[in-house]
Amino acid sequence: MNKSQLKPCLLALLDQEIEVALAAARTAQESAAHEGNKPENQYDTLSLEAAYLAHGQSERILALQQERIQIARWAVPLFGNGEEEDAPLALGTLIGLEPADSLGSTTADRRRWFWLTPVGGRTLSLEGETVQLLSISAPLAKRLLTLGLEDELLLGSGRWRIVVLS
């Protein structure tokens, strides 16, 4: 897993989310201003509802743009000097987990990837692997921050071991 490729993937994902939100805002604005949606009486609120939706989409666009700026400015820490085993987990760490009960068998196909980022709640695909983004304030991230390489944790219904830190 090449961590240096994750940031451009995240920026591209944010760009896609912004484009989708822009299209939704345009649709809502057109609906609010459409001649057929003019209120026929005081109880007809279709135009008003569309205007509220357009406003909400505008706020969503602003939030996504701010996240994109934050990620673009974020200097992702790159490790590789052999200090990963002793370094505490921190923002920017890519964590690979494998089932702890895998007595020497190959478990790379069952490995789960987590990346501690300023913005979480997204999933990236890279090199055929799925990487779950965790914000530093997510409960799982808080648990991971207390652990190190080869430590184990309960996740779901199984025990997992941290096998990769980068």
Side-chain angles (χ1 to χ4, degrees):
M1 175 72 60
N2 187 347
K3 186 169 78 168
S4 64
Q5 295 174 329
L6 288 174
K7 182 177 173 179
C9 288
L10 178 54
L11 290 171
L13 178 63
L14 287 167
D15 288 340
Q16 290 173 352
E17 289 180 21
I18 290 168
E19 286 302 316
V20 168
L22 283 168
R26 277 191 292 277
T27 301
Q29 288 168 348
E30 290 168 4
S31 178
H34 192 271
E35 180 68 30
N37 288 339
K38 295 225 185 234
E40 295 176 6
N41 58 46
Q42 68 187 36
Y43 302 107
D44 189 358
T45 61
L46 187 59
S47 178
L48 181 61
E49 291 168 7
Y52 280 129
L53 181 60
H55 176 72
Q57 287 296 338
S58 297
E59 288 181 351
R60 174 77 176 133
I61 292 165
L62 179 61
L64 286 169
Q65 289 171 333
Q66 289 171 341
E67 285 182 3
R68 195 200 184 287
I69 290 168
Q70 181 182 14
I71 295 299
R73 291 180 178 167
W74 180 42
V76 179
L78 298 175
F79 304 107
N81 56 5
E83 297 176 5
E84 295 88 7
E85 292 182 27
D86 298 329
L89 298 183
L91 186 65
T93 305
L94 178 65
I95 303 163
L97 301 177
E98 288 183 358
D101 57 357
S102 61
L103 304 169
S105 65
T106 178
T107 57
D109 57 332
R110 294 177 24 197
R111 184 173 291 162
R112 296 182 66 183
W113 292 98
F114 296 93
W115 189 29
L116 302 178
T117 63
V119 297
R122 292 176 175 85
T123 303
L124 299 176
S125 293
L126 181 66
E127 300 174 0
E129 299 280 354
T130 300
V131 180
Q132 179 68 43
L133 277 60
L134 294 176
S135 75
I136 214 76
S137 62
L140 178 56
K142 289 179 180 179
R143 285 177 52 201
L144 289 168
L145 288 170
T146 65
L147 303 174
L149 195 62
E150 295 300 324
D151 285 341
E152 292 184 5
L153 76 149
L154 288 175
L155 182 62
S157 61
R159 284 188 5 235
W160 295 79
R161 182 176 56 248
I162 298 175
V163 293
V164 177
L165 293 177
S166 67

